[in-house]
Amino acid sequence: MAFVPLTADERQAMLEQIGVGSVADLFADIPASVRFPQLDVPPPLTEIQTVAKMSALAAKNQPVGQLACFVGAGYYNHYSPSVVSHLMGRSEFYTSYTPYQPEVSQGTLQYSFEFQSLVCDLFEMDVANSSVYDGASGAAEAVLMALRISRRDRVVLDGSVHPEHRAVVAAYLDGRGIEVVTTNVGIKDGKLNRQSVVEQIDGETACVVIQQPDFFGTIRDLAAIVAKAREVGALVVYVVGDPVSLGLLKTPGGWDADIAIGEGQGLGLPLQYGGPGVGIMTCKTAHLRQLPGRIVGQTTDHDGRRGFVLTLQAREQHIRREKATSNICTSQTLLALGATIYLAAMGPAGLKQAAGLSHKQTRAVADQIRRVDGYRVVNDGPFFDEITVTCPADGDTMRHELAKRGIIGGYALGREYPGLENALVLCATEMTTSEEIDRLVSGLREIGGAR
Amino acid sequence: MSRDRSEPLLSELSRPGRVGHLLAAPDACADATLDLPSELLRDDLKLPELGELDVVRHFTHLSSLNFSIDNAFYPLGSCTMKYNPKVNEDVARMAGFAGLHPYQPEETVQGALQVMLELQQLLCAISGFETVTLQPAAGAQAELCGMLLIRAYHRARGDTKRTKVLIPDSAHGTNPATAAMCGYTTVSIPTDAHGNVDLKRIKEEADDTTVGLMLTNPNTLGLFEQEILDVTKAIHDAGGLVYGDGANLNAILGAVKPADLGFDVLHINTHKTFSTPHGGGGPGCGPVVARGFLEPYLPKPVVARRASGDRAGELFLDWDRPESIGKLKSFWGHFGVMVRALTYITLQGDQGIRDIGEAAVLNANYLRKKLDDLYDVPFDRICMHEFVASGRRQKQQGVRTLDIAKRLIDFNIHPPTVYFPLIVEEAIMVEPTEAESKDTLDRFVQVMRQIAEEVETSPELIHDAPHDQPVGRLDETTAARRPVLRWS
């Protein structure tokens, strides 16, 4: 396919204007020994052929809908109203770029301001940026922020923070001489068994990172952790497990978090095999100047009309270079738009329903699994839309067996949590049907009975 | 004053009790909170209350307040704002791609893993490198990935005294920021009289404390580094590695493989070169290609094929990577962007790939030549896909580059990148891309010439620009001094 509109005559006229004999002459600065190499790329396909090829690849996958989805673990199969994809699909949004020129970018700037506002309302936090790459890099940026604010060099990570978030924090901190302490989580007497986070927080601690609902699905009373952090001057970095949970649950602001982050994919964005989603990042006003990434502010033009601009850019890499708060340059603007449309369309009533129905269906899953021999729900407190279940076989075998029955059977904990090889984290949402729950439970019964 | 085209905020459109979307009958989940202790519940949920049509009209109107590739020429230097084929969008939205959960069992996502594998192979073929990761979310995160790979390499050799990174003064700001994030110090290398990085200074600075060099080629002046082979050799001789910032890869597609120039690691802005729409500023996707000896350090997991066992031949995600730098983002990267990139490369094929670079460079040189009598071009030699002009002649007449940029808006042209790179006074950086026709370029030339004339005859017209936009020039100083970052 040709997306170059120049005709042969036009190319010739342009070369004459430039004063060179051929297009090849334009590349004379490239050393001759390596110029115009052989390219091991197949010849072009037509659009018809390309669509056929890609359709064939797509057909080798089984998306949710074909399969009953009982996995969450950071990415959630929540319903997205039709308006979300239709409005995100407007090319005036998706074929624009960073709003460097505010006069011709008020659409992008206004929805970014609205995204920040909605996130602040949802999280009950003071300020938000207009997104970072994902929840995990948000966690890493939050920890870096806490290190700058506290000028301390010790970080306490709760072991039930998403393993991928913890891994990204570790990669970002590597080589900086920071002590990272991660608490253990195991299973004892049929319940999750946690090493105390509170005891790990001391006067050297820059921040404690906690997640709610946590990776095992449990909702915990965080008061003691926050109180200890306050007592010793450590910051509380709060990871929101599933943003839809905030339709019901007490918020990061309600728990008095200093910095709160989360993966926003659950807010109406497609699963897309894990990306792109959108990283949400918020903090208290006192920490605003340490908040990395893009921030949109409201102002006025010379006639007093309201308008929006990128602001507080003096913290950023294009001005501060090696002294910047972060190297982050782009944001997830289009996905932030999707989340903004979702929250606008759902409103408080719709979001409460999404949260309530997700919780209700998960409760149904838990109730039924409790009646199946060989399985046990091991959460150490109330849960929202995920539960941790021990099984008669290891998690990978369970998932493989359930896949044969048309079911995505949860997240296997074994890789990240030695000792929990037989445990799965299962998730249900408002998309989960009773028929699917029946299918899951009979699948579990069959697999259990076969052992 | 122009017609008021402002759009109220969602909060201003809200009417208490209005409902936009219901998932079930209103009482269907009324009991959902019963088994959750009240101290774990929120008190109130304050979100705007709108009808579905309110939402549709609001965002449709906002979309009309934007410039975009689909409605305007967008010659934003260093951003490669080219046309993104619509079929990319159709393919990315296929349920077989859009509806996959990242933690599905591997046997249910063989097509997705094959997309990743094929894209990896093509990116290696185009760039000349042996290995690749698709995980980084964007160019800047890819820089971090690349520098962490380089550190892992030095560390594995026990070579721990290397702490300084050489970076040209024309580099993107992300380069020094990335080096600093890795805990390294940076040394700025000046640009020589021809617009190349100063080879002599590199030779002076490169020693056994040098981690490496971060270099963009073509550089941010739009010029190919004429002494590139000597530059990369100087770094290698000192034991350092060369990081390539691939932001400007579009220019040299098919003309040279960056690996052949002596780079050890390079990131590719997939969203630029391989045509994912820029989405108002994201998402991106920043694969990192590298030499084979850096393969053990790549982020995990990597896509691999099972060699044995009862599932031999199946693709899987290999987490068993003991020397890996770890993870940079959740899951496997921006898969939706990878699908678009593979679709685009499939459409282009070998011949199309080469034609992209050639046409991008032809277009840029044509514009440079047509404008160089009226606007200063500080490094006036054959450029690659973009060129940097200077508005210093116009500044002497009281019109700044920013004014020229704003005046272009009156002609329905998105302003070029301005005031970057920092080393060119009153910089105007123009990147037309290969996707634009000669007619569009000729119109841009005509408008730029008209503006140059207006600088002399009617400067007030330029100072007041833009004239018919939803808002005029905005007060950015107050926005930063007294930040209003959310509705009240």
Side-chain angles (χ1 to χ4, degrees):
Chain A
M1 279 293 285
F3 300 109
V4 173
L6 302 176
T7 67
D9 286 350
E10 286 172 337
R11 286 179 203 239
Q12 197 49 46
M14 292 165 77
L15 288 170
E16 281 163 24
Q17 178 74 41
I18 298 164
V20 294
S22 72
V23 172
D25 292 347
L26 298 173
F27 293 88
D29 283 341
I30 300 178
S33 58
V34 293
R35 202 186 306 154
F36 300 124
Q38 197 65 37
L39 269 194
D40 187 16
V41 172
L45 299 187
T46 64
E47 186 169 305
I48 298 173
Q49 292 167 325
T50 301
V51 170
K53 174 197 155 95
M54 298 305 290
S55 298
L57 286 170
K60 291 173 74 177
N61 301 317
Q62 293 173 273
V64 302
Q66 266 182 48
L67 301 174
C69 181
F70 286 97
V71 68
Y75 247 48
Y76 296 92
N77 186 29
H78 288 300
Y79 181 70
S80 180
S82 277
V83 287
V84 176
S85 64
H86 275 273
L87 293 169
M88 277 177 86
R90 291 192 67 86
S91 73
E92 300 90 335
F93 286 134
Y94 75 72
T95 75
S96 64
Y97 194 40
T98 302
Y100 293 123
Q101 301 289 342
E103 296 89 345
V104 293
S105 312
Q106 285 300 301
T108 297
L109 287 160
Q110 181 166 334
Y111 78 64
S112 298
F113 180 83
E114 293 176 333
F115 171 77
Q116 291 170 187
S117 302
L118 287 164
V119 162
C120 286
D121 287 347
L122 187 64
F123 278 48
E124 294 185 319
M125 294 292 288
D126 297 337
V127 290
N129 67 16
S130 72
S131 80
V132 289
Y133 306 131
D134 65 354
S137 62
E141 294 285 359
V143 168
L144 292 176
M145 200 174 153
L147 294 170
R148 289 194 297 274
I149 294 166
S150 68
R151 297 171 189 274
R152 296 178 182 175
D153 53 11
R154 185 170 184 273
V155 175
V156 176
L157 289 178
D158 186 299
S160 56
V161 171
H162 198 305
E164 301 222 15
H165 287 35
R166 286 188 279 117
V168 173
V169 169
Y172 271 62
L173 291 185
D174 180 55
R176 287 175 165 244
I178 306 297
E179 182 194 359
V180 180
V181 179
T182 306
T183 59
N184 289 320
V185 185
I187 294 177
K188 195 178 164 193
D189 302 330
K191 283 280 170 238
L192 287 169
N193 179 43
R194 299 166 195 267
Q195 181 187 0
S196 164
V197 179
V198 173
E199 284 171 17
Q200 294 300 324
I201 305 170
D202 63 18
E204 307 297 310
T205 303
C207 64
V208 54
V209 186
I210 49 180
Q211 178 173 321
Q212 182 100 310
D214 73 13
F215 192 64
F216 302 94
T218 301
I219 313 166
R220 290 181 289 165
D221 186 339
L222 303 171
I225 297 174
V226 175
K228 180 66 185 281
R230 291 281 162 272
E231 185 192 317
V232 300
L235 280 84
V236 175
V237 173
Y238 188 113
V239 179
V240 172
D242 173 358
V244 168
S245 69
L246 295 178
L248 277 180
L249 298 187
K250 186 166 165 178
T251 61
W255 286 109
D256 197 30
D258 296 285
I259 304 168
I261 62 101
E263 168 56 58
Q265 176 277 331
L267 301 174
L269 304 178
L271 293 163
Q272 291 187 95
Y273 200 39
V278 56
I280 294 172
M281 187 159 191
T282 68
C283 67
K284 289 184 174 174
T285 303
H287 307 316
L288 169 63
R289 310 260 162 187
Q290 293 299 330
L291 184 67
R294 207 167 279 171
I295 298 174
V296 172
Q298 179 182 308
T299 186
T300 51
D301 73 1
H302 44 65
D303 291 325
R305 288 179 291 199
R306 177 169 69 193
F308 303 91
V309 293
L310 294 176
T311 193
L312 301 172
Q313 296 183 78
R315 311 157 297 121
E316 290 200 277
Q317 37 73 27
H318 57 270
I319 294 176
R320 293 271 285 169
R321 298 176 81 84
E322 68 274 7
K323 295 190 185 68
T325 51
S326 157
N327 75 335
I328 194 167
C329 180
T330 53
S331 68
Q332 299 291 99
T333 311
L334 188 68
L335 292 311
L337 168 67
T340 304
I341 300 165
Y342 174 84
L343 288 170
M346 298 294 277
L351 195 72
K352 280 181 200 164
Q353 281 198 336
L357 291 169
S358 297
H359 177 60
K360 199 174 166 180
Q361 292 303 75
T362 307
R363 227 168 52 195
V365 171
D367 288 345
Q368 295 218 36
I369 287 179
R370 285 194 183 104
R371 292 186 217 126
V372 184
D373 282 347
Y375 296 87
R376 193 160 189 171
V377 178
V378 297
N379 290 80
D380 53 342
F383 53 81
F384 171 61
D385 62 0
E386 289 180 278
I387 51 173
T388 299
V389 175
T390 53
C391 310
D394 74 87
D396 286 329
T397 306
M398 292 298 306
R399 278 163 46 86
H400 194 49
E401 287 298 320
L402 286 166
K404 288 184 195 165
R405 293 162 173 82
I407 296 163
I408 306 172
Y411 175 93
L413 284 164
R415 191 182 66 238
E416 296 292 342
Y417 294 92
L420 302 189
E421 283 76 11
N422 279 20
L424 290 173
V425 180
L426 293 168
C427 172
T429 68
E430 72 278 15
M431 300 289 281
T432 310
T433 64
S434 304
E435 184 276 324
E436 289 173 335
I437 297 175
D438 291 344
R439 189 152 33 118
L440 170 72
V441 172
S442 63
L444 294 176
R445 194 170 278 128
E446 274 173 38
I447 300 165
R451 307 211 149 244
Chain B
M1 195 203 266
S2 58
R3 174 172 71 92
D4 184 7
R5 288 196 274 155
S6 67
E7 169 69 18
L9 293 166
L10 288 168
S11 57
E12 295 160 350
L13 293 166
S14 173
R15 296 292 176 270
R18 192 170 285 171
V19 172
H21 193 88
L22 282 179
L23 291 162
D27 58 350
C29 51
D31 72 329
T33 61
L34 291 183
D35 71 337
L36 290 173
S38 62
E39 68 271 18
L40 295 178
L41 299 176
R42 74 185 296 158
D43 301 328
D44 185 26
L45 177 57
K46 246 192 326 180
L47 291 175
E49 297 170 76
L50 307 160
E52 183 167 314
L53 181 56
D54 300 329
V55 174
V56 170
R57 288 201 179 135
H58 175 73
F59 288 100
T60 303
H61 187 198
L62 287 187
S63 77
S64 76
L65 305 183
N66 264 4
F67 268 32
S68 64
I69 287 292
D70 283 7
N71 65 26
F73 181 40
Y74 218 120
L76 199 58
S78 211
C79 297
T80 314
M81 296 297 288
K82 64 186 189 182
Y83 172 68
N84 315 116
K86 294 300 173 194
V87 64
N88 288 358
E89 299 306 304
D90 293 343
V91 173
R93 287 173 191 150
M94 289 176 180
F97 293 131
L100 303 178
H101 191 285
Y103 287 142
Q104 283 189 218
E106 284 144 354
E107 61 267 34
T108 66
V109 290
Q110 288 294 300
L113 294 172
Q114 196 175 328
V115 165
M116 293 169 71
L117 201 63
E118 284 192 22
L119 180 61
Q120 290 183 172
Q121 286 160 352
L122 288 166
L123 295 179
C124 284
I126 291 167
S127 63
F129 288 92
E130 292 93 35
T131 193
V132 54
T133 173
L134 302 175
Q135 192 177 104
Q141 203 185 40
E143 288 178 30
L144 180 61
C145 175
M147 294 309 288
L148 292 176
L149 294 177
I150 290 174
R151 179 160 65 201
Y153 164 80
H154 288 312
R155 200 184 270 172
R157 292 157 50 93
D159 193 353
T160 51
K161 62 178 177 298
R162 296 181 183 273
T163 54
K164 70 176 183 188
V165 179
L166 313 187
I167 302 176
D169 59 3
S170 63
H172 298 112
T174 47
N175 290 178
T178 299
M181 274 185 86
C182 294
Y184 292 139
T185 56
T186 60
V187 178
S188 182
I189 306 291
T191 299
D192 72 14
H194 306 289
N196 296 314
V197 62
D198 191 331
L199 176 61
K200 197 164 145 279
R201 280 298 293 279
I202 286 186
K203 286 182 170 165
E204 285 165 13
E205 291 288 348
D207 58 25
D208 61 0
T209 67
T210 302
V211 175
L213 167 73
M214 298 181 83
L215 189 72
T216 310
N217 186 31
N219 64 31
T220 61
L221 296 162
L223 304 174
F224 193 88
E225 292 286 347
Q226 289 163 307
E227 298 171 305
I228 182 68
L229 295 177
D230 296 321
V231 167
T232 53
K233 181 171 185 304
I235 299 297
H236 290 151
D237 287 348
L241 296 184
V242 184
Y243 178 86
D245 179 325
N248 296 340
L249 181 66
N250 205 58
I252 53 171
L253 275 186
V256 65
K257 295 177 181 176
D260 291 341
L261 298 171
F263 289 98
D264 298 290
V265 196
L266 175 97
H267 85 253
I268 296 173
N269 295 84
T270 316
H271 49 290
K272 296 182 185 179
T273 315
F274 300 113
S275 86
T276 285
H278 292 40
C285 177
V288 171
V289 285
R291 292 196 186 281
F293 64 83
L294 293 172
E295 194 268 345
Y297 315 120
L298 294 180
K300 61 184 174 185
V302 300
V303 181
R305 200 175 287 281
R306 285 190 203 279
S308 59
D310 55 356
R311 288 161 74 183
E314 194 178 287
L315 295 171
F316 75 111
L317 293 161
D318 184 3
W319 290 82
D320 186 15
R321 311 268 310 158
E323 294 180 85
S324 167
I325 59 169
K327 289 209 108 241
L328 291 162
K329 94 176 286 304
S330 306
F331 317 119
W332 339 125
H334 286 163
F335 178 74
V337 182
M338 299 170 203
V339 172
R340 290 173 174 88
L342 180 60
T343 305
Y344 182 71
I345 297 173
T346 305
L347 285 166
Q348 292 289 358
D350 50 359
Q351 194 47 55
I353 294 286
R354 187 156 295 187
D355 201 27
I356 292 167
E358 292 185 354
V361 172
L362 181 60
N363 276 356
N365 277 290
Y366 178 69
L367 284 185
R368 177 182 60 84
K369 211 56 200 171
K370 291 282 255 184
L371 291 171
D372 69 358
D373 60 329
L374 290 177
Y375 296 88
D376 282 350
V377 178
F379 300 95
D380 200 8
R381 46 179 257 218
I382 296 287
C383 66
M384 301 308 285
H385 62 303
E386 63 192 0
F387 68 98
V388 180
S390 165
R392 61 191 166 205
R393 208 188 304 177
Q394 286 71 27
K395 188 184 175 190
Q396 283 161 11
Q397 293 167 278
V399 173
R400 297 201 57 198
T401 285
L402 185 69
D403 302 315
I404 295 170
K406 299 300 184 193
R407 181 64 177 143
L408 278 167
I409 294 170
D410 287 337
F411 297 93
N412 199 38
I413 293 171
H414 194 283
T417 296
V418 292
Y419 300 103
F420 182 81
L422 308 174
I423 55 171
V424 172
E425 183 190 358
E426 296 292 313
I428 311 173
M429 182 198 245
V430 181
E431 181 182 11
T433 82
E434 75 281 2
E436 298 297 339
S437 69
K438 181 168 177 294
D439 304 87
T440 302
L441 304 184
D442 285 337
R443 175 161 184 274
F444 178 69
V445 169
Q446 176 235 315
V447 168
M448 285 297 283
R449 298 190 80 86
Q450 180 178 333
I451 293 173
E453 196 180 301
E454 287 173 359
V455 169
E456 310 198 3
T457 57
S458 42
E460 70 290 346
L461 206 54
I462 307 182
H463 285 135
D464 296 342
H467 293 94
D468 189 30
Q469 290 302 314
V471 291
R473 288 202 209 176
L474 290 155
D475 181 354
E476 300 193 24
T477 311
T478 305
R481 271 203 199 131
R482 289 197 295 277
V484 178
L485 309 178
R486 57 185 288 191
W487 56 49
S488 45

